[in-house]
Structure formats: structure tokens, C-alpha cells
Amino acid sequence: MRFVGLLLLFVYFQLQLSGQTIVQGTVTEKASGKPIEFASVELVQLPDSTTARVTATDKRGKFSFAGIPASTYFIRSSYIGYDKILSAPFSIQSGSQKYTVESLVLINASKTLTDVTVTARRAQLNASIDRKIYNVEQDIMSRSGSVADILKNIPSVEVDVEGNVSLRGSGDITILINGKPNPLMGRSRAEVLQQLPANSIERIEVITNPSARYRPDGTSGIINIVLKKNVKNGFNGSTTVNAGNRDRYNGNISLNYRPKKLNLFSSYSYRQDNRKRFNTIDRVYLDTTNHTVTSFFNQVTNTAMRPKGHILSGGIDYTIDDKNSIGVSGSYYDRKMQRKDVTNNFSYNNQKSLIQDFDRLRYDPETQTENNATLYYQRDFKKEDHDLRVEFNTSNENEVEDNHYTTNYRLPAPSSFLDNTLIKQIQHENQLTIDYSNPLSEDSKLEAGYDGAYIKQDLNFYGEFFDNNQSRFIKDAEKSNQFVYNENVHALYATYQRAFEKFGYEIGLRGEAVFTKSHLVTLDSTVNNTYYKIYPTVHLSYKLNDVGELQLNYSKRVNRPEGDELNPFPEYQDPRNLRAGNPKLLPEIIHSTEFGFRWQKKRF
């Protein structure tokens, strides 16, 4: 009987709904034919012209009214700077399910508006269940500084003198551009962040415990830099020039042309720096048997560097229709640097008497180039924020260190030695991502997709020394080697987010299959490694009141060894400073749990 009652109740509601209609339509601009977002739309009932419903258009210019009873209506739409427009009257019949209003086209107002000021101010800090969002437009450095300057002002983020970024004291982080890995944020990201203009940033997102949508790399989390999107029609651009002491300069120019459905954009930036560094190393050598001091060593290094960098980027976006868009973009980065080191080395016996004194001079003209290209396709469905995006990125990186060393001894006997080290590091990477997002309701959202990364690194070290007897340089077999590393990562992920009145949660799961191959070319040896991992994530939030919120989250993360850490061949800077990797290193797994309380009022 209870089931029959529920069934009858369901049928009753269906009969009631069957007598109501969904009214929908689109608002566009006459000059460009583009949809208008946030246009006011009123559903007016005849014959007394009373307003039945009011809404606003979404980003595709669409609007809809649900549950409209049978009657006669017309639509009235308006937007600042445009004349109001009225649709033709239409009648809704009982039993009809959907009625589409003929497209409403707004025309620029013929009269000039005077004394009208519209102002808005974004909150500097916004927080969601899995991230903190910093709107940087209010920061004065966003007018003329670099991205690195902006990051210095973000809480929990530090930037050192070299431009290296750390989050909560850890440099093991991932930096994304518009939510995606970018080749410029790889090996050379410190230099790039010091060069990119801050006025190109819309906001910075700090994600200390990322959801399953993002790659689990990076122990301390993710910094996502969201760039501004140029939505102005016609031709526009901006330029910034900076000058500093010690012969330092930085400048950039960006141009944008948007004729109707096509959007063309390009930018160029240049940075010239002057770096002087000083560091010292003191060592005490002990006898391992009785732990007594056997000798002392002191090393003092003075370094002068003169890097010059260029970044050129551009692309095309094309809106096929209100549901489909495609685009292609690319960038080129070039950096050249002259580096000169003078290292003084002093060795002492246990009585602190000088027993060895020599200088090691280094001249290193470095070059680094990166280029990448991105192709994307996006499909927007009827529902707002319901979309599918497919993106492919390919990139190449080439770095060369041409080190020329001269060692001059004063003690124990005057002598001089020459040696060179040529280091070539090449990396090629392809990325394919398929992201699907569906807001199931006003308070729930589903995200799923595929994330693939295909990386190849070629590390080639060539060492040589000058043979006085033969009066020429000879290859140093101990310092010459080649190491090739391949890594393919295939990942599937899904997240579900839901919010109630005070409680919200987001759960996610990411599965990865990783295939790696280390080829020690010099030894003709290969090391393979394959592993499968599951990375769950959980985010919980509970609002205590209007100003206080509790958050608890968990994520499983990974720290994968890079090519330098897997290369077993030692890299020599001098006899006392060398490093080598281990090709059998396995990834480090991290379980990250975070609990916090957020309190926020108007001024605090």
C-alpha cells in the first residue's frame, strides 16, 4: 500500500508538471554576433504586463525559465550600453514541454551614457574546498613586476634570490599554467617566472592537497597560475618596461586581435640580468677509527653571471559556434648566459698549516632553448560548465653547458692543468589530456578524464683533459657517458563534489600505469621498471557560521625520480664536488593529511 501511495503521488506530480513548459532562448550582440553573458531577461505575462520571472544569461548567452504555466507572454531583455529589446508575444499551450524564443539581438545604445560609473572589487582571498584563490589585481606589483614578484606576496609561498619557488618551505612542488603542466615550468621555471609579466595574471591558486584530477607529483602541492583571457573585440595590447640597477632590464609587449569568432594573440618578453654570487664551504676531515681531526679544507667561490632571455608566444582561438571551439598556440624560449667562477681552495693539516693552495677557474657559456605547441578542442553542452576538452601538447628542451676549467696550483708546487666538460641535456615530451566536467545539479559536480605523459630524456656528458705531452685535449673516459631515460604515464581519474547547507565533500580516485626504461648507453645496459598505483583523495568542509569553517583533507602523492637522480654516472665539478644517481630508484609515496580552520571577515 505504501508503494502504491508513492506511485500515485509520483503520477500526480507528473500530471502537474506536464501542464508546465520550459521557455528558453539566446541573447546575442548584433555587431559581432557573439552571445552576451549576464544580460537581464524578464518573462512578462499578458494582458497586464506583469513580470512572471527574471533571470540572467550564462556565458553562452542562453537563458531558460522552467515550470511556466499556460498563458500568453513576451520576453524583455536589456544590458548596459544596449537598447532594450522585446520579443514578439507567444502563447504557451497546456501540455507542451518546451518553447524556444526567437534569438534576441541587442543593439548598441544610440545615445551616450553620462555620469554612469560601474565599479566592482574582487575579494583578495577566496577559498574553496580544495584550494585558496588569490586575486592579484589589487597587488601593486601586478602593474609592472614579474610573476616571481607576485608569488613573493602570496602567503606560504617563498621565492629566493635565484627565483626558485617553494611552498611551505619545500621546493618539491608542481607549477601549472591554467591548470595544465607547461614545459616552461620545468627545468628553467625560475628564470621564466622572473621574466613573465605580472599583468598577464588573473589569479593564483594554492592547492596544498590536490584532488585526483591533478597529477600526484610534488610533495607539498600545486601552485596554479591562471592567466587573463582577453575578451575585448578589435585590436588591443599592452607593453611594460622595467629597469634596475646593476644593468638589469626587463620588458614585454602583448597584442591581441579579435574579429568576431577569431581571436589572435601574441606576446614577447626580454630580460637581461646581472648576478654576482659568493659562497664558502668549510670542511673538517675525521679519522673514522678514533674520530680525531686529520685535516681542514676551505673553499671560496666568486661567481659572475650574465643571463639574457627571450620568450615569444602566440596562438589562434576560433569559435566554431556557441558549442564548439578550437585553438592552437605555441611558445619559444631562448636563454644564453656567460658564467665565470673563481674558486679558491685551501687545505690544512691537523695543525692548521697550509699544505695545498690552488685556484680553479671556470668559464661556461650556457644556452637553453625550449619550444612547445598546443592544440585543443572544446565542446560546451547546453548546461553551463558542462564541457569536454581534448588537449595535446608537444615540447622540446635543449640545454648545453660548455665548461672550460683551468686549475692553477701555488702549493705544493706551481703548476697548471686544463680540462673541459660538455654537458648536453635534451628532453622531448608529449602530453594528451581529455577532461570532462558535468555539474549534475546546483550543488554537485562530476569530473573525469584521461591524462597521459610521454617523456624522453637524453643526458650526454663529455669530459676531456689537456695532455701536455701530446699538446692536445684527450677524451676523459671516466667523465664521459650517455644516459637515456624514457617514462610513459597513463592515468584515469574521476572526482565527485557535493555541497549541503553546512557540509561539503569531494572524493576522487586516480589510477596510474607507469612504464620507465633507463638505458646506460656507455655500458650498454638497460634497467626497466613498471608500476601501477592508485591515488585516492578526500576533501571535507564544515561551516561553523558565516565567518568560520573547518576543513579536513587527505591525498596520496608521489615523488618520482628524475633523469638526474637515475643517471648512475658521476657528474664532476671538481674532485671534491660530484653527484651521481641510481637507475633502480623507486618512486617515493607520500600520504598527506591536512586539518585546518579558516576564519575570515571583511577586514581580516
Side-chain angles (χ1 to χ4, degrees):
M1 291 299 295
R2 186 176 301 172
F3 172 77
V4 173
L6 291 174
L7 181 61
L8 291 174
L9 187 63
F10 175 76
V11 172
Y12 170 77
F13 279 115
Q14 290 298 313
L15 291 174
Q16 292 295 314
L17 292 174
S18 65
Q20 297 180 339
T21 306
I22 295 176
V23 176
Q24 62 184 17
T26 306
V27 179
T28 60
E29 180 192 22
K30 183 177 181 180
S32 65
K34 292 184 176 297
I36 297 180
E37 187 178 6
F38 300 124
S40 175
V41 182
E42 297 177 71
L43 179 66
V44 184
Q45 189 173 10
L46 294 174
D48 54 357
S49 295
T50 57
T51 300
R53 298 283 185 86
V54 178
T55 188
T57 57
D58 61 18
K59 63 183 179 181
R60 296 185 291 278
K62 295 184 179 297
F63 66 88
S64 65
F65 301 101
I68 304 302
S71 185
T72 302
Y73 305 90
F74 70 89
I75 297 293
R76 178 165 54 210
S77 180
S78 62
Y79 191 71
I80 296 176
Y82 293 83
D83 292 325
K84 287 185 179 180
I85 187 171
L86 307 178
S87 73
F90 55 91
S91 296
I92 298 299
Q93 305 297 327
S94 179
S96 60
Q97 297 297 313
K98 186 179 294 184
Y99 181 85
T100 302
V101 181
E102 185 177 352
S103 180
L104 302 172
V105 181
L106 294 179
I107 304 174
N108 282 57
S110 56
K111 58 183 179 180
T112 302
L113 298 176
T114 59
D115 298 328
V116 175
T117 303
V118 179
T119 60
R121 186 184 182 93
R122 289 183 178 180
Q124 190 170 7
L125 166 66
N126 294 314
S128 63
I129 195 170
D130 66 340
R131 71 192 63 193
K132 297 176 181 66
I133 303 169
Y134 298 90
N135 297 302
V136 301
E137 294 177 345
Q138 300 175 35
D139 194 321
I140 192 172
M141 294 306 299
S142 66
R143 305 294 187 270
S144 60
S146 66
V147 175
D149 296 324
I150 290 292
L151 288 172
K152 292 177 182 178
N153 295 338
I154 302 298
S156 72
V157 178
E158 297 83 34
V159 183
D160 67 13
V161 68
E162 300 285 359
N164 299 303
V165 180
S166 60
L167 177 60
R168 292 180 174 177
S170 172
D172 186 15
I173 60 174
T174 300
I175 299 182
L176 306 178
I177 302 292
N178 293 332
K180 298 290 185 181
N182 190 292
L184 293 178
M185 293 298 104
R187 191 187 303 272
S188 59
R189 71 184 182 191
E191 290 82 6
V192 173
L193 290 173
Q194 290 178 317
Q195 186 168 339
L196 287 177
N199 58 14
S200 64
I201 300 178
E202 178 179 320
R203 65 182 186 273
I204 293 176
E205 300 176 347
V206 177
I207 314 172
T208 51
N209 246 1
S211 70
R213 175 175 183 174
Y214 300 100
R215 295 180 184 177
D217 304 77
T219 304
S220 58
I222 291 174
I223 297 176
N224 182 29
I225 299 173
V226 181
L227 303 180
K228 293 178 180 177
K229 294 182 180 179
N230 199 322
V231 296
K232 297 179 181 179
N233 290 324
F235 180 81
N236 54 85
S238 65
T239 183
T240 305
V241 177
N242 298 298
N245 62 337
R246 295 189 178 179
D247 201 18
R248 295 176 296 152
Y249 308 96
N250 187 23
N252 65 83
I253 181 172
S254 62
L255 302 173
N256 195 90
Y257 180 55
R258 190 185 184 100
K260 295 186 177 180
K261 294 185 176 183
L262 196 65
N263 183 38
L264 306 174
F265 56 92
S266 64
S267 66
Y268 168 75
S269 66
Y270 171 77
R271 180 181 178 89
Q272 177 178 300
D273 206 348
N274 191 0
R275 304 179 185 178
K276 293 184 178 180
R277 303 289 182 262
F278 171 82
N279 72 288
T280 180
I281 297 175
D282 290 297
R283 296 181 180 177
V284 178
Y285 293 92
L286 302 175
D287 188 325
T288 57
T289 57
N290 53 23
H291 300 288
T292 58
V293 175
T294 59
S295 60
F296 300 89
F297 176 75
N298 171 251
Q299 186 179 74
V300 179
T301 302
N302 286 274
T303 301
M305 295 180 287
R306 188 69 169 160
K308 298 179 180 180
H310 307 261
I311 300 178
L312 178 65
S313 63
I316 302 174
D317 292 325
Y318 180 70
T319 304
I320 302 173
D321 51 39
D322 59 348
K323 295 181 180 178
N324 300 279
S325 60
I326 59 174
V328 61
S329 61
S331 65
Y332 176 78
Y333 172 68
D334 178 83
R335 182 177 71 99
K336 293 181 173 61
M337 181 175 69
Q338 301 287 335
R339 174 172 181 158
K340 296 180 180 179
D341 293 353
V342 177
T343 303
N344 309 120
N345 298 270
F346 307 96
S347 295
Y348 304 87
N349 60 19
N350 58 356
Q351 303 299 320
K352 292 192 175 181
S353 298
L354 185 64
I355 57 176
Q356 190 180 61
D357 178 6
F358 68 94
D359 296 336
R360 186 163 172 83
L361 312 180
R362 176 188 183 187
Y363 171 66
D364 172 29
E366 292 186 17
T367 61
Q368 183 176 357
T369 59
E370 294 180 6
N371 59 81
N372 74 88
T374 301
L375 175 68
Y376 80 88
Y377 164 76
Q378 181 158 328
R379 166 78 176 184
D380 295 320
F381 300 96
K382 290 183 178 181
K383 192 165 37 177
E384 187 174 5
D385 294 331
H386 182 197
D387 54 56
L388 173 69
R389 185 182 179 95
V390 181
E391 184 171 305
F392 175 76
N393 179 280
T394 182
S395 64
N396 293 282
E397 179 181 348
N398 192 345
E399 182 178 358
V400 178
E401 283 186 29
D402 191 6
N403 297 290
H404 301 265
Y405 293 103
T406 301
T407 305
N408 295 321
Y409 277 88
R410 286 179 292 272
L411 192 69
S415 58
S416 180
F417 302 96
L418 301 176
D419 63 286
N420 302 326
T421 305
L422 181 64
I423 304 174
K424 295 182 179 180
Q425 302 186 64
I426 300 174
Q427 177 169 313
H428 179 71
E429 182 174 357
N430 291 325
Q431 301 175 20
L432 175 64
T433 58
I434 303 173
D435 296 314
Y436 173 75
S437 178
N438 185 2
L440 303 177
S441 64
E442 292 184 358
D443 52 15
S444 64
K445 185 178 183 180
L446 172 68
E447 292 181 333
Y450 166 81
D451 186 358
Y454 322 98
I455 304 170
K456 179 179 180 180
Q457 291 181 319
D458 188 346
L459 311 180
N460 199 328
F461 295 76
Y462 180 80
E464 61 181 9
F465 63 91
F466 189 80
D467 190 320
N468 292 319
N469 296 327
Q470 303 184 42
S471 299
R472 65 184 181 92
F473 281 97
I474 298 177
K475 178 180 178 180
D476 190 337
E478 292 186 0
K479 299 180 181 180
S480 300
N481 60 80
Q482 184 179 6
F483 177 77
V484 179
Y485 176 66
N486 290 273
E487 179 181 84
N488 295 330
V489 182
H490 305 272
L492 294 173
Y493 73 88
T495 66
Y496 177 74
Q497 183 175 327
R498 181 73 186 272
F500 300 95
E501 291 184 0
K502 292 185 176 182
F503 178 70
Y505 69 89
E506 181 182 74
I507 56 175
L509 193 65
R510 185 183 185 95
E512 283 191 351
V514 182
F515 307 90
T516 69
K517 177 182 178 181
S518 301
H519 185 197
L520 288 66
V521 179
T522 306
L523 301 179
D524 193 23
S525 176
T526 301
V527 178
N528 294 305
N529 186 22
T530 300
Y531 58 92
Y532 305 89
K533 298 290 183 182
I534 299 294
Y535 302 95
T537 62
V538 179
H539 293 75
L540 307 173
S541 67
Y542 182 78
K543 292 184 179 179
L544 300 175
N545 46 48
D546 292 337
V547 296
E549 182 181 74
L550 295 173
Q551 291 188 345
L552 175 66
N553 50 62
Y554 162 81
S555 68
K556 183 180 178 181
R557 308 192 56 72
V558 64
N559 182 16
R560 309 181 207 273
E562 298 181 350
D564 290 344
E565 298 167 315
L566 295 168
N567 186 1
F569 300 106
E571 176 185 347
Y572 292 86
Q573 184 173 345
D574 61 55
R576 289 183 174 84
N577 292 283
L578 57 92
R579 64 180 182 183
N582 178 2
K584 296 183 179 181
L585 273 181
L586 298 177
E588 177 187 26
I589 299 299
I590 301 102
H591 297 275
S592 177
T593 305
E594 185 177 287
F595 174 73
F597 169 70
R598 183 172 64 89
W599 183 84
Q600 183 174 357
K601 295 193 75 172
K602 184 177 181 180
R603 297 182 182 275
F604 296 94

